[in-house]
Amino acid sequence: MQGLRAKFRLAAVVALTLWIALLGLYSLLKPISNGCVMTYMYPTYIPISAAGDAAAASGKYGLYLYHEGWKKIDFDEHLKQLSGVPVLFIPGNGGSFKQVRSVAAESDRAYQGGPPESTFHHEAGLTSEEGRADTHLAGFELPTQYKNRLDWFAVDLEGEHSAMDGQILEEHTEYVVYAIHRILDQYKHSHDVREKEGAAASSSLPKSVILVGHSMGGFVARAAMIHPRLRKAAVETILTLSTPHQSPPVALQPSLGHYFEHVNREWRKGYEVQSTHAASYVTDLSNVIVVSISGGYNDYQVRTKLETLDGIVPPTHGFFISSTSMRNVWLSMEHQAILWCNQLVVQVSQTLLNLVDTKTGVPFPERQKRLSVFARMLRSGIPDAFQWTSQPDSNVHGGQVARLPGCPNNLIWKDDGLERDLYIETITVTVLAMDGRRRWLDIHKLGSNGKSHFVFVTNLAPCSGARLHLWPEKGKSNSDSPSDKRVIEITSKLVQIPSGPAPVQMEPGSQTEQAPPSSVLRLTPEDMQGFRFLTISIAPRPIVSGRPPPGASMAVGQFFDAKDGERVLSAPALLLSAYSSKDVLLEEDHPIALNLSFDINLGLLPTSLSLKATGCGIQRSGLPDEEVGDMDNSKLCKLRCFPPVALAWDSTSGLHVFPNAYSETVTVDSSPALLSSSPGSGKTSVLLLVDPHCSYELTFAASLTAAAGKFLLLYSSQIVGSFFAVIFFALMQQVRAWDLDLPIPSVLTAMESNLKMPLPFAPLGFSPLLLSLFVCVLNSQPLPPLVSFIAVSIICYVLANGVGAILVWVSQFLFYAAALTHVFIKSRSVLYVSCQHCVKDDVYHNCD
């Protein structure tokens, strides 16, 4: 009976392992729709001849200069005119130098087209930890035109697999150092040739090279910085794409892990030079910045946790950002797609061009200016607007909103643009057209009874389409730009959010669906303190300042109680939702912003959110019942209510945006339940922006398929490590039986004993875990990190036993099949030999 129980436990473990493995493989192998647009180009690669260090120049590697254009060019003449800003691209594991073509082509187009038009949205800048108050940033603005182009170089590393061996990484580092020197020497040579020929003097000679590395190429860029032969100040800016900085994704060779430790240790010492009296041979990195961009949860090869710069680069010298948080990108992408995803390479190109000082034509020498450019061009203002970051709002001083930059004077509406004012008496204000009116909202009246928060969403462009002001008292001016200095314009507090697909018409000539919002503004009681009125001014319908209005206009604002919109989804409820979905009914006039707190990190347990419209005030519209009954309620509500938007925040990977979130599987790229996990990584916050005019049925359901795939991705190394421990435990029991002269158990029998727990140790092992879970359920608190770590470790150990049992059974089956095949072949050969003897002796009657 005891042996039967052990076999049953092992069979259950194997069944669980197979179930998780099949679900995980299905999730990981199904096609990914990342939403990226392909980048197209006309590439030409100009080889740069070897010179200088013969040892580095000779061999298998090469250096190329990229040129965009379909016309044939003279290579020597093109090199002679070299005068831009040098940027060196370093490919990753098995990569090609030709992967530079997407970002290089978009850089050329961006330089030709100039900077993008300002949208007047709130821009995220540096935090206080990163040096927001630095004196170099006083009055600093992004350039309004590009002074110099980017010259993209790329190293040909022969497609070697640098992620497999540390020795290959060291060889790549050696050549990259040589390539940096060769590029700077080429600029000097080209400049001298032009001077000899009497050509006009060009811009200043570059003194440094910007490094852009993909995957392991980004680590090679950092390794080159600590190389003893690298010239001083030859590199001051490094941008990495999907690069593991903390450790290699898979350390197949000890040399790989040792090289990572060596480089990271030297980087820590390099940043200590500016504050301590370090040895003279330590590289000074005080003026070097590093920005790491991650591909997000769709990058299966390098996880976000490995791409962070924590403990390597101080906040004053760099930061990490996920592509899901990047302005104008908002997408997660695969490991290779990050090189050609047009939304990302365009934003990267514009960012690098903004690094160039318009006065000198070379990148800003001040470290904080360069870091500020990256922050303002890449970061979104959403986390600051909803206070997800630990940094205080820089726009609030002394409990009152500070004076923000107003709309530019060249965006002036017509004198008769603002018609008679509207006075809003309800907590919800709606704009369905560009009517040229100003709406007055009494903060004291509408913001009473706890409804002290205000959220405004719109698809109208800030300044040219909508403007917002805070007034201490009722104004008399009809102008859209009040002259009273006590009136504060808060239009620049609007933050950009990605809008979904354009609205469609149900039938030709019919009303279009409500347009998705593209901006959101949030005002807290502290922001509105000391003010009596809030005004929302909408531009008139005709073309404003040469810009055509959107095809369908929308704006919705609401005063609400933040506590009414809070929902906490406990760990047991989320786990049970995998088998029985959880429904939440949102009545009409619900809060426009719903704050959902998930006690289990959605990087570990992705959850499907579904919003189904159940009503939108049709019964109060005056339509006949028979006409209302013929309409599809969900389609009808789409004509009145804007599409919902989901904003997910994770402490590790940052912001994730899901527009048109009628049905989405919300997930983040995080690594919870590890001892090294950051505080707060055990939970995820999701903000839903939902139109208050419609009622919805909100459904939650944990996605077991996505959860299985995430578990295998996050904890595969832990499962492999536990598997080797299980095998060693089985071998240890066999050795012990040998020493005691007892029957040696099989591997399966030994593994069955691994699943047993001696009764005296059972309370000691499970009581603290059960007690913690019970307390968390009673108090509606997230799981403690230690409890999550223990739970995940147990699951990994159980799966390791299942993997071991499956391998044993498969090997037994293979050995048995091989034995049967051997016996069959042997018997047939013996029969064949005996028949040959019968034929030879003419004895046929004994042969079959």
Side-chain angles (χ1 to χ4, degrees), residues 94-140:
S96 168
F97 70 96
K98 295 182 179 181
Q99 291 174 324
V100 71
R101 57 186 180 268
S102 295
V103 65
E106 287 300 337
S107 297
D108 184 74
R109 297 189 189 105
Y111 175 75
Q112 300 292 341
E117 184 180 0
S118 177
T119 60
F120 307 108
H121 285 101
H122 170 67
E123 292 181 347
L126 298 178
T127 64
S128 57
E129 292 181 351
E130 296 167 347
R132 179 172 57 195
D134 193 285
T135 56
H136 291 106
L137 299 180
F140 174 68

Side-chain angles (χ1 to χ4, degrees), residues 534-557:
L534 168 68
T535 59
I536 302 173
S537 303
I538 304 300
R541 180 67 183 180
I543 294 177
V544 180
S545 301
R547 179 186 299 175
S553 305
M554 62 79 57
V556 178

Side-chain angles (χ1 to χ4, degrees), residues 77 80-81 190-202:
E77 186 64 26
K80 187 171 61 176
Q81 302 301 325
S190 300
H191 182 270
D192 294 343
V193 171
R194 291 196 301 270
E195 279 192 342
K196 289 181 180 180
E197 295 179 353
S202 59

